[in-house]
Amino acid sequence: MSNMPLPSSFNPAGIELDRRQGLSRQLYQALRVRVLDGRLASGTRLPASRDLAAALSISRNSVVRAYDQLYAEGFIEGRVGDGTYVAQLPQAAVSVKKLSTKLSTKVSTGFSTGLPTALSTNWLDLPVISSSKVIHRGALGRVEKNHLALPPSGPPRAFRVGVPAFDLFPFEVWAKLNAAFWRKPDLQQLCYGDPAGDARLRGLIAAYLRSSRGMQCTAGQIVITSGAQQGISLCAQLLVEPGDTVAIENPGYQAAGHAFAVAGARLQGVAVDSEGIECAQLAELGDCRLTYVTPSHQYPTGVVMSLARRLELLAWAERTQGWIVEDDYDGEYRYSGAPLAPLAALDRQGRVLYVGTFGKVAFPALRLGYLVLPPSLVDAFAQRRAVDMRHSEVSTQAIMAEFMAAGHFQRHIRRMRRAALSRRNCLLNHWPMSIEGVGNLPAVMAGLHMTVPVSSVARERELIEYAESVEVEVNGLSNYWLPDSQTPLDQRAGLVLGFAAVPEPAIEAALARLRKVWCD
Amino acid sequence: MSNMPLPSSFNPAGIELDRRQGLSRQLYQALRVRVLDGRLASGTRLPASRDLAAALSISRNSVVRAYDQLYAEGFIEGRVGDGTYVAQLPQAAVSVKKLSTKLSTKVSTGFSTGLPTALSTNWLDLPVISSSKVIHRGALGRVEKNHLALPPSGPPRAFRVGVPAFDLFPFEVWAKLNAAFWRKPDLQQLCYGDPAGDARLRGLIAAYLRSSRGMQCTAGQIVITSGAQQGISLCAQLLVEPGDTVAIENPGYQAAGHAFAVAGARLQGVAVDSEGIECAQLAELGDCRLTYVTPSHQYPTGVVMSLARRLELLAWAERTQGWIVEDDYDGEYRYSGAPLAPLAALDRQGRVLYVGTFGKVAFPALRLGYLVLPPSLVDAFAQRRAVDMRHSEVSTQAIMAEFMAAGHFQRHIRRMRRAALSRRNCLLNHWPMSIEGVGNLPAVMAGLHMTVPVSSVARERELIEYAESVEVEVNGLSNYWLPDSQTPLDQRAGLVLGFAAVPEPAIEAALARLRKVWCD
């Protein structure tokens, strides 16, 4: 073992590790905290892993794992042949905790995204709103037919978006747990329950998020929801007043836009670049109440939000006292490195509301999700849920708790990750090489779908029609944009492909059919 | 068989019965239609059952059952020794269908109930609303603690309100159905589903309501909900705009009031007399958008709304183009005669939204209910539900459908009705005779709870405290009133007692404990 002196600016003595807990995770957190609070300044050279291991008397493996995670998240960087350094992070983000609690909201001057203030076209033409008025005003209470896009139902097909490899769910185990619950139910559980959800499940979710996401949350911060959609909808109902501006990624997740629009929000689309939502554009919006983002795997482009951008977004929320709704809908799926730290794990001012779901690990129809809330918001959310529906069905919660406690959940996540990776590879390997007007496949580091650029919206429509003719489901990227976006129409075109819904043979068969109609 | 001539004003020739269907139900409906449209005028003498049976060539039993139902519902009346006559019904109700579609809304002049227009006190002090504003305005996003009354949780005790005899639920059957569903799930069912709910369950509910409630509804009118509360809440969200007046029974069901208040309604309490909500007072409210009622068994007083009052209420809705939300939360429990026809079965203008639940037949934590909607409203409700939460958990719906299709549901309803009756009788038989300040027990014809008058609110509080000291749950009637009701405070006092939650020995034991602390 070498015993080289550690770089002088780095003091491992300040790092205290509890040997009863995971050492790698603790080291990762200790280093992250020091980067964020400036104790480890940008450019600081870190000790080689074997030296730090020796200094802390832990295994080198633990140090390597901690470094890997910090590297994946952008906190540190390597220079070839020259060791490991603390990365350059945006100054505002690193120092923001030193600012006093509230700054006056910066008012933007004359900035306009060109987006409409009224909800009038395309996927925001939400008759859920207008119908309410029709109901009121119409003499006969007639409601016109409307055009709210619902997720596709029917048997899973290639390349449906938003559906995991749920054919691999251990239904036999789930059936047994169900039978066990119902054969000897605790009568007390069958009365009215806590609107925030089953206490045991809340505790297990908090523990899972602490260990898998580095979130320092407690059971008391968890509110169980009917899927991610109810989590988003509750945020909209409780945090947004009619007329408030809400920023959403553009292109983005339509169903979230619907939930905010129903609450009366004035939606503003903010562009997404290779690092995630463009915070500079967000800052120029001026008075913005809330920003909805998908940092783990941007929906639908697949971009993973960089650490710098995450910190910049948090700085925006702290500066403006705005809210961030972080939808981590498929954060379990990351194929290189561990998942990045969610915004909720980096948040120190209680500005982030984290939306999680079991739908992408188990199956969508389970309708089981959760919110992780700043403690001061928990009561209001639980009570609103009580007024809306009292609470979720009891057995699903209790059985998921048992599924987690017995270790099935962790095993299943690993199985699902492997399956998604293998299905992703199958799609990448069998994708037709040259399709007219279709760009290159992206690197797919995370999630359950990928997005491929197409030369024009006309060509996009054509490809989708051909696909539909051979019973292959392909989504058009152009559908995910807000109306009147500044991005030229043809730059909005693309194909969104879910790769996890069906097994490899079905993927290959679908691609063979696509090759015929697309390439001939 | 006698062959007396039928009364001259009655023409059975117009009644056509389909022999493949239930004859008694068809005859009941044919007669009811004729009473409502005036073909059978008030005071018309009906033929004796055996004569009508002979004229229609059906069994006398079928006629007797139809007459019994019409009698129970108030459409016909008997005069001792003098046969059966069409009852006197309010003229407005009977003739209203002849009015042209829409009348101008009558504006009331100077009427005031003395109720507050702001939601400021007592059980309407709903921080779910105010907290939303606190969240917006407070620099730190702090939400104050609040006072929303939640239904009691914990093990069932005497005399909890709103809980059926769910210790009798066939859990073994339910466990088997669960295991069967999960062992071989239809993968298609595990994707995203229809926000209106499982198609098979919707069909079975419609069939159940047609046969048990005389409602002419189709599966397409059913929207599955997460319990009755979500049904009420959706009505509030979709039919009420901020500032609209909503009439609720006073005393009434708090959780419904909360749902309407959250939607921004201005709540107006309307008194309840021995026939149900006072329609004269309702009519004087002027511009009222919606009325929420519990006609089968008024919550909490236990009054069954008379047929005359039902028709008067429907006439109000048709005249003002108002909506009626009919919460039939425990309509399965009727101990003398068949259940009365719900408003939804009498409605011809599509003004009634019917709220049903499985919670009072199975158990509350099932969170399974449904709405029966006028066809023109179905799409808007389903889509709003999709934005709120997509849809309900899939297995509960599919398993309830199987439970119904296999006949378990009907058997269970009969079992639950018998149990509730027996527990009611136990409470009536063992109730202490003379408790200071406590009035007589009422006749309990329906439902799962009863209300007993008390001489003052002070005495009510005292009795409840004594009860709590011996671990008996008793609710104070005074809690169910809107603030600033015109009814003098002491006339609002009473005890609300649920009698179904625990078996007879536990009821007797609780009454023995109450006797000690109340009577000694």
Side-chain angles (χ1 to χ4, degrees):
Chain A
M1 293 279 255
S2 102
N3 241 337
M4 273 174 53
L6 297 174
S8 63
S9 60
F10 184 84
N11 171 22
I15 297 178
E16 285 175 22
L17 304 177
D18 177 348
R19 279 164 197 282
R20 293 161 306 180
Q21 313 272 335
L23 295 169
S24 161
R25 161 93 8 210
Q26 287 178 71
L27 177 59
Y28 152 78
Q29 279 167 344
L31 292 173
R32 197 180 73 176
V33 161
R34 283 163 178 73
V35 172
L36 283 170
D37 68 12
R39 273 182 283 170
L40 280 175
S42 163
T44 305
R45 187 176 173 191
L46 294 181
S49 54
R50 73 176 61 200
D51 300 329
L52 186 55
L56 295 170
S57 307
I58 62 178
S59 79
R60 187 176 164 201
N61 241 347
S62 296
V63 179
V64 169
R65 275 206 303 276
Y67 276 17
D68 278 354
Q69 177 74 21
L70 291 164
Y71 180 81
E73 295 183 3
F75 284 101
I76 61 178
E77 53 196 17
R79 299 184 195 158
V80 177
D82 184 31
T84 306
Y85 294 80
V86 174
Q88 183 75 44
L89 296 172
Q91 205 44 45
V94 177
S95 61
V96 75
K97 70 172 189 59
K98 294 167 194 157
L99 296 178
S100 59
T101 45
K102 199 184 176 220
L103 297 175
S104 62
T105 305
K106 183 185 153 205
V107 178
S108 81
T109 49
F111 176 82
S112 163
T113 59
L115 288 173
T117 56
L119 305 168
S120 56
T121 53
N122 206 351
W123 61 267
L124 285 178
D125 187 8
L126 237 210
V128 177
I129 302 164
S130 58
S131 69
S132 153
K133 295 200 172 119
V134 173
I135 290 172
H136 286 109
R137 293 182 189 144
L140 297 171
R142 291 190 71 80
V143 180
E144 284 161 50
K145 278 279 176 191
N146 50 60
H147 318 283
L148 173 59
L150 294 174
S153 52
R157 297 193 297 173
F159 293 96
R160 185 170 298 171
V161 174
V163 177
F166 67 84
D167 48 303
L168 301 177
F169 189 75
F171 291 108
E172 192 60 40
V173 170
W174 195 254
K176 273 188 192 138
L177 294 176
N178 262 277
F181 177 89
W182 286 114
R183 235 165 240 139
K184 291 193 179 181
D186 174 359
L187 285 191
Q188 175 170 345
Q189 279 193 295
L190 304 185
C191 280
Y192 291 106
D194 185 340
D198 181 272
R200 186 178 180 221
L201 179 61
R202 293 168 74 197
L204 287 160
I205 290 172
Y208 164 67
L209 295 174
R210 283 195 302 269
S211 78
S212 78
R213 295 282 202 289
M215 287 167 62
Q216 295 306 309
C217 58
T218 64
Q221 288 174 261
I222 311 281
V223 171
I224 303 294
T225 61
S226 295
Q229 186 64 26
Q230 192 181 45
I232 300 166
S233 177
L234 282 170
C235 292
Q237 296 294 329
L238 277 158
L239 302 177
V240 175
E241 287 198 278
D244 278 352
T245 295
V246 165
I248 56 175
E249 298 161 326
N250 191 26
Y253 182 47
Q254 302 109 313
H258 292 153
F260 291 110
V262 161
R266 187 169 160 272
L267 292 183
Q268 292 276 16
V270 176
V272 175
D273 65 16
S274 63
E275 293 196 64
I277 191 167
E278 289 189 13
C279 288
Q281 205 184 88
L282 174 64
E284 288 178 61
L285 284 186
D287 197 17
C288 176
R289 167 67 46 208
L290 182 151
T291 301
Y292 167 86
V293 286
T294 49
S296 289
H297 184 237
Q298 202 270 331
Y299 192 92
T301 64
V303 168
V304 178
M305 193 185 291
S306 70
L307 176 64
R309 201 58 67 77
R310 286 172 199 238
L311 297 174
E312 221 181 311
L313 185 57
L314 286 166
W316 165 84
E318 296 182 13
R319 196 171 64 242
T320 66
Q321 292 289 297
W323 300 107
I324 298 170
V325 174
E326 174 179 34
D327 186 353
D328 197 14
Y329 64 104
D330 64 2
E332 285 83 6
Y333 297 93
R334 189 161 170 86
Y335 310 117
S336 4
L340 293 190
L343 293 164
L346 302 168
D347 176 31
R348 290 146 178 199
Q349 302 280 330
R351 309 310 306 170
V352 177
L353 297 91
Y354 177 94
V355 178
T357 178
F358 290 99
K360 301 282 184 278
V361 175
F363 43 89
L366 190 66
R367 308 313 306 137
L368 190 61
Y370 49 88
L371 287 163
V372 186
L373 299 171
S376 61
L377 300 185
V378 174
D379 279 350
F381 273 71
Q383 300 215 353
R384 172 63 191 241
R385 213 167 112 74
V387 171
D388 282 352
M389 58 180 285
R390 297 231 188 264
H391 58 86
S392 292
E393 196 275 324
V394 63
S395 70
T396 309
Q397 299 181 67
I399 290 159
M400 181 54 85
E402 187 57 33
F403 189 75
M404 294 177 90
H408 299 297
F409 182 68
Q410 285 290 1
R411 265 195 298 282
H412 184 57
I413 285 183
R414 285 195 293 274
R415 176 166 51 223
M416 291 296 269
R417 207 180 275 137
R418 275 197 308 273
L421 180 60
S422 159
R423 292 175 186 192
R424 177 200 76 164
N425 293 343
C426 179
L427 173 57
L428 294 177
N429 295 338
H430 294 84
W431 183 253
M433 268 305 134
S434 55
I435 312 158
E436 194 195 313
V438 176
N440 290 329
L441 289 184
V444 184
M445 316 286 283
L448 297 171
H449 69 263
M450 62 181 78
T451 297
V452 192
V454 171
S455 56
S456 73
V457 171
R459 181 62 178 149
E460 175 198 289
R461 296 278 158 235
E462 196 175 55
L463 290 166
I464 290 170
E465 261 176 48
Y466 284 144
E468 196 49 54
S469 74
V470 291
E471 296 187 337
V472 177
E473 221 169 284
V474 176
N475 285 281
L477 180 60
S478 65
N479 294 325
Y480 294 81
W481 294 77
L482 279 166
D484 306 329
S485 300
Q486 289 185 311
T487 306
L489 195 61
D490 283 341
Q491 287 176 31
R492 298 185 218 162
L495 303 177
V496 185
L497 303 158
F499 50 75
V502 295
E504 291 81 344
I507 292 175
E508 285 186 46
L511 288 173
R513 295 204 301 279
L514 284 185
R515 197 184 306 269
K516 273 212 186 103
V517 289
W518 280 359
C519 304
D520 291 356
Chain B
M1 296 277 253
S2 100
N3 241 336
M4 269 177 56
L6 298 173
S8 61
S9 60
F10 184 84
N11 172 23
I15 298 177
E16 284 174 23
L17 303 178
D18 176 349
R19 280 167 196 279
R20 292 160 306 178
Q21 313 272 336
L23 295 168
S24 161
R25 161 89 15 206
Q26 288 180 70
L27 176 60
Y28 153 78
Q29 279 167 343
L31 292 173
R32 197 181 73 178
V33 162
R34 284 164 177 73
V35 172
L36 283 170
D37 68 13
R39 275 181 283 170
L40 280 176
S42 163
T44 304
R45 188 177 173 188
L46 293 182
S49 55
R50 73 175 63 200
D51 298 330
L52 185 54
L56 296 171
S57 307
I58 63 177
S59 79
R60 187 174 166 202
N61 241 345
S62 297
V63 178
V64 168
R65 276 205 304 275
Y67 276 19
D68 278 355
Q69 179 72 19
L70 290 164
Y71 181 80
E73 294 182 2
F75 284 102
I76 60 178
E77 51 196 18
R79 299 182 194 160
V80 178
D82 185 31
T84 307
Y85 293 81
V86 175
Q88 183 75 45
L89 297 172
Q91 205 45 44
V94 175
S95 61
V96 77
K97 71 169 185 66
K98 294 168 193 156
L99 295 178
S100 57
T101 45
K102 201 184 176 222
L103 297 173
S104 62
T105 306
K106 183 185 154 202
V107 178
S108 82
T109 49
F111 176 83
S112 162
T113 59
L115 289 173
T117 56
L119 305 169
S120 55
T121 52
N122 205 352
W123 60 267
L124 285 179
D125 186 7
L126 236 211
V128 176
I129 301 165
S130 59
S131 68
S132 152
K133 295 197 174 120
V134 173
I135 291 172
H136 286 110
R137 291 178 192 149
L140 297 172
R142 292 190 69 81
V143 180
E144 284 160 50
K145 279 277 176 191
N146 51 58
H147 318 282
L148 173 59
L150 293 174
S153 51
R157 298 194 297 175
F159 293 98
R160 185 170 298 170
V161 174
V163 177
F166 67 85
D167 47 302
L168 301 177
F169 189 74
F171 291 108
E172 192 60 40
V173 170
W174 195 254
K176 274 189 192 138
L177 294 176
N178 263 278
F181 177 89
W182 286 114
R183 238 166 239 139
K184 293 194 178 180
D186 174 357
L187 285 192
Q188 175 170 347
Q189 279 194 294
L190 303 185
C191 280
Y192 292 107
D194 185 340
D198 181 272
R200 184 178 181 220
L201 179 61
R202 294 167 75 198
L204 287 160
I205 290 171
Y208 164 67
L209 294 174
R210 284 196 300 270
S211 77
S212 78
R213 294 283 201 288
M215 285 166 63
Q216 295 305 310
C217 58
T218 65
Q221 288 173 263
I222 311 284
V223 171
I224 303 295
T225 61
S226 295
Q229 186 66 26
Q230 192 181 44
I232 299 167
S233 178
L234 282 171
C235 291
Q237 296 295 328
L238 277 158
L239 302 177
V240 175
E241 288 196 280
D244 278 351
T245 296
V246 165
I248 57 175
E249 297 162 327
N250 192 23
Y253 182 47
Q254 303 110 313
H258 292 152
F260 290 110
V262 162
R266 187 170 161 273
L267 293 182
Q268 292 277 16
V270 176
V272 174
D273 65 16
S274 63
E275 293 195 63
I277 194 169
E278 289 190 13
C279 288
Q281 207 183 86
L282 174 64
E284 286 177 63
L285 285 186
D287 198 17
C288 175
R289 166 67 44 207
L290 182 152
T291 300
Y292 167 85
V293 287
T294 49
S296 289
H297 184 237
Q298 204 271 330
Y299 192 91
T301 64
V303 168
V304 177
M305 193 184 290
S306 70
L307 176 65
R309 201 55 69 76
R310 286 171 198 238
L311 297 174
E312 219 180 316
L313 185 57
L314 285 166
W316 165 84
E318 296 182 14
R319 195 171 63 241
T320 65
Q321 291 289 298
W323 300 107
I324 298 170
V325 174
E326 174 178 36
D327 185 354
D328 198 15
Y329 64 105
D330 65 0
E332 284 83 7
Y333 297 92
R334 185 157 175 89
Y335 310 116
S336 4
L340 294 191
L343 292 165
L346 302 169
D347 176 30
R348 289 149 181 196
Q349 303 279 330
R351 309 310 307 171
V352 177
L353 297 90
Y354 177 95
V355 178
T357 178
F358 290 98
K360 301 281 184 282
V361 175
F363 44 87
L366 189 65
R367 307 314 304 137
L368 190 61
Y370 50 88
L371 286 164
V372 186
L373 299 171
S376 61
L377 299 185
V378 173
D379 279 349
F381 274 70
Q383 300 215 353
R384 171 63 192 241
R385 213 166 113 75
V387 170
D388 283 353
M389 59 181 282
R390 298 230 186 262
H391 58 85
S392 292
E393 195 274 325
V394 61
S395 70
T396 309
Q397 299 182 65
I399 290 159
M400 181 55 86
E402 187 57 34
F403 190 75
M404 292 177 91
H408 299 296
F409 182 68
Q410 285 290 1
R411 266 195 297 282
H412 183 58
I413 287 182
R414 285 194 293 274
R415 176 167 51 224
M416 291 295 270
R417 205 179 277 136
R418 275 197 307 273
L421 179 61
S422 159
R423 292 174 186 192
R424 177 201 75 167
N425 292 343
C426 179
L427 173 57
L428 293 177
N429 295 339
H430 294 84
W431 183 253
M433 267 307 132
S434 52
I435 312 157
E436 193 195 314
V438 176
N440 291 330
L441 289 184
V444 184
M445 315 288 281
L448 297 171
H449 69 263
M450 63 180 80
T451 297
V452 193
V454 170
S455 56
S456 74
V457 171
R459 180 62 178 150
E460 175 197 289
R461 297 276 159 237
E462 196 175 56
L463 290 165
I464 290 170
E465 262 176 47
Y466 285 144
E468 197 50 52
S469 75
V470 291
E471 296 188 333
V472 176
E473 220 170 284
V474 176
N475 284 282
L477 180 60
S478 64
N479 295 325
Y480 294 81
W481 294 78
L482 279 167
D484 307 330
S485 301
Q486 289 184 313
T487 307
L489 196 62
D490 282 341
Q491 287 177 30
R492 299 185 217 163
L495 303 177
V496 184
L497 303 157
F499 50 76
V502 294
E504 290 81 344
I507 293 175
E508 284 185 46
L511 288 172
R513 296 204 301 280
L514 284 185
R515 198 186 304 269
K516 274 211 185 104
V517 288
W518 281 0
C519 304
D520 289 357

